[in-house]
Amino acid sequence: AADYVGRPADEVSRDLTAQHLVVTLVSLPSSGTPGTVIAVEPTGDVQEGQTVTVTVAAETKIPPGHDKERKPPKAEHGGHGD
């Protein structure tokens, strides 16, 4: 399963389907690159025809007014007893 983490979801889905597994894709907001695999369940040996859940990084939407990077407030001019 670790071999699939970080790879494009469509590529992983094709690989698993070619191994006769049933793929369920789940999107989850993540700091990872959108469209890449962040988890695969179950791990270890799987049987042909078994369902494998592939969790894919979804684009994290930032609410308006909430920047990714917080910038300190700008200092006001003056304040030196002028």
Side-chain angles (χ1 to χ4, degrees), residues 45-57:
D45 293 335
V46 290
Q47 303 298 316
E48 191 172 301
Q50 186 171 344
T51 299
V52 177
T53 302
V54 177
T55 306
V56 182

Side-chain angles (χ1 to χ4, degrees), residues 33-82:
T33 304
T36 60
V37 174
I38 54 175
V40 178
E41 293 283 331
T43 58
D45 293 335
V46 290
Q47 303 298 316
E48 191 172 301
Q50 186 171 344
T51 299
V52 177
T53 302
V54 177
T55 306
V56 182
E59 189 171 348
T60 304
K61 300 213 184 304
I62 300 166
H66 293 84
D67 295 323
K68 279 187 179 179
E69 295 178 20
R70 288 265 175 213
K71 294 180 181 165
K74 292 186 178 181
E76 297 291 327
H77 289 286
H80 294 286
D82 292 326

Side-chain angles (χ1 to χ4, degrees), residues 13-30:
S13 181
R14 269 196 313 273
D15 285 1
L16 294 172
T17 302
Q19 295 175 46
H20 307 286
L21 298 169
V22 178
V23 178
T24 300
L25 295 175
V26 177
S27 292
L28 186 69
S30 168

